[in-house]
Amino acid sequence: IFREGKKSKQKEILTILQKDLQLQTLPSIIECFDNSNIQGTTPVASMVRFVQGKPDKKGYRHFNIKTVEGANDFASMKEIVSRRYHRLVDEAVPLPDLSVVDGGKGQLSSACEALKEVGIYGQTPIIGIAKKLEEIYYPDDPVPLHIDKRSSSLKLIQYMRNEAHRFGITHHRGRR
């Protein structure tokens, strides 16, 4: 009975997230991207994957930035989103129900450019979350969405972002 209660709680949170973000489908599979570098050295990035609102650690990925010199968060984000989704398309793996980019308009627009280059822009919803004010950005919309700070859906997005950050920092330390 306890397990069933936990599953229904996760589904409830995902339903709230779907409503808050105005998504067409329940975001059962969510991927979240983050960049990491220290003053431009050894740029790396990470992607975490959540299934049914829970971390799917087998789906976590590290990326060593290959095409960007120095601290260029926008170019790094474009590279990793492009690499990730090229791979999914090449392997005919279904796209996630939602992609989350750690960062505001700049990182989000870079990720959108990558999706356009891969040819899947518009096939998977994508948002950016900016730190401090915890604003949610949509592609081509300059006005951010503010979700109630106590909302379980915002807490899930923050958890994913923090997990991507932690996972990336751990990899970055290993590289140094």
Side-chain angles (χ1 to χ4, degrees):
I1 296 171
F2 182 69
R3 285 183 182 259
E4 190 55 47
K6 222 171 184 174
K7 277 186 182 163
S8 66
K9 180 72 176 155
Q10 289 305 117
K11 187 168 174 34
E12 181 186 320
I13 292 169
L14 292 175
T15 304
I16 294 167
L17 182 63
Q18 179 183 2
K19 185 176 145 280
D20 284 348
L21 298 179
Q22 300 168 353
L23 301 172
Q24 304 271 317
T25 59
L26 191 72
S28 299
I29 298 174
I30 306 171
E31 293 184 349
C32 182
F33 297 88
D34 186 30
N35 294 322
S36 182
N37 68 69
I38 292 184
Q39 296 170 339
T41 64
T42 329
V44 297
S46 62
M47 183 213 77
V48 296
R49 184 177 175 91
F50 277 53
V51 176
Q52 302 303 334
K54 293 186 175 163
D56 171 25
K57 300 219 173 182
K58 288 182 178 152
Y60 283 24
R61 297 289 179 267
H62 284 129
F63 298 89
N64 293 322
I65 303 299
K66 297 175 178 176
T67 63
V68 180
E69 290 295 320
N72 185 337
D73 267 6
F74 303 146
S76 297
M77 186 61 71
K78 183 177 177 187
E79 177 185 324
I80 63 167
V81 170
S82 178
R83 284 170 51 193
R84 171 65 180 164
Y85 291 123
H86 262 298
R87 183 174 200 137
L88 292 184
V89 169
D90 290 348
E91 295 176 0
V93 175
L95 298 173
D97 301 310
L98 175 64
S99 297
V100 178
V101 172
D102 181 21
K105 290 184 258 193
Q107 285 88 345
L108 178 60
S109 64
S110 297
C112 290
E113 283 177 36
L115 294 178
K116 287 173 185 170
E117 286 177 9
V118 177
I120 59 168
Y121 182 74
Q123 294 179 32
T124 181
I126 185 167
I127 61 167
I129 179 168
K131 287 186 181 84
K132 288 187 184 149
L133 296 176
E134 302 296 20
E135 297 172 321
I136 306 292
Y137 286 94
Y138 290 98
D140 306 319
D141 187 349
V143 181
L145 171 70
H146 292 270
I147 299 175
D148 186 312
K149 300 278 186 256
R150 298 170 306 236
S151 168
S152 57
S153 66
L154 180 61
K155 287 183 174 152
L156 177 61
I157 294 169
Q158 290 169 324
Y159 176 43
M160 287 185 290
R161 183 209 36 222
N162 294 342
E163 183 68 358
H165 187 70
R166 180 201 62 77
F167 190 61
I169 295 273
T170 304
H171 177 58
H172 195 259
R173 282 191 187 119
R175 292 254 351 253
R176 284 183 307 185

